[in-house]
Amino acid sequence: MALTDTKVRSIKSREKSYKIDDGRGLFLGVNPTGSKYWRLKYHFGDKEKLLSLGIYPDVTLADARRKRDDARKLLADDIDPGLAKQLKKRVKKLVAENSLESIAREWHIRFASKWTPEHGARTWQIWIFN
């Protein structure tokens, strides 16, 4: 039976963790602490896998269903959604590491020890405001 937002909101924790099925592989895991996690169970390459979709209420029921549908589209194209998520995360990290600001910080740290404090502050302000 499909979940509703009202039902998800009213779910209480128990002594042990348990799952509530929403259909098509999507379920809500409820921990004894009361936290609620959206997960997707799927099969890829003859293996059963789990994909974490987020924490309720940060990820709403509608968001979780949209993410489930996106993952199922990837599966239809023979792409593992778990690996796709990991790759996306790595790319995001690489882009952040190679931003102009991070390179400027590394450069400033490398040379700041050779400068007077005033020159270091002035140089950093030039990087920040330009």
Side-chain angles (χ1 to χ4, degrees):
M1 176 186 227
L3 292 172
T4 62
D5 191 50
T6 306
K7 184 171 181 174
V8 172
R9 244 184 285 127
S10 65
I11 292 173
K12 303 294 181 204
S13 62
R14 297 180 188 162
E15 247 181 71
K16 292 185 179 181
S17 296
Y18 66 101
K19 302 174 189 176
I20 300 176
D21 186 46
D22 184 55
R24 301 184 69 198
L26 179 66
F27 67 90
L28 184 68
V30 183
N31 290 336
T33 59
S35 56
K36 302 169 187 173
Y37 294 87
W38 291 111
R39 305 229 191 245
L40 176 67
K41 184 166 85 170
Y42 66 97
H43 290 84
F44 189 81
D46 295 330
K47 289 188 177 181
E48 185 176 290
K49 297 186 173 194
L50 281 178
L51 179 66
S52 177
L53 301 179
I55 301 170
Y56 181 84
D58 296 338
V59 176
T60 64
L61 175 60
D63 292 339
R65 286 179 177 162
R66 182 187 46 78
K67 288 181 178 187
R68 174 201 57 201
D69 294 340
D70 292 344
R72 290 178 65 84
K73 286 177 188 172
L74 289 174
L75 284 169
D77 292 335
D78 207 29
I79 299 170
D80 185 349
L83 290 177
K85 184 178 177 182
Q86 288 176 1
L87 181 62
K88 190 176 179 181
K89 199 175 194 179
R90 286 182 189 162
V91 167
K92 192 184 258 187
K93 183 178 178 185
L94 277 173
V95 167
E97 287 175 354
N98 291 325
S99 70
L100 180 61
E101 181 182 352
S102 65
I103 293 169
R105 285 184 189 280
E106 286 180 27
W107 176 82
H108 192 269
I109 289 169
R110 179 183 294 172
F111 292 103
S113 62
K114 300 175 185 177
W115 301 330
T116 64
E118 294 81 20
H119 180 71
R122 192 171 47 248
T123 304
W124 183 244
Q125 283 191 340
I126 290 169
W127 275 102
I128 289 176
F129 296 116
N130 285 332

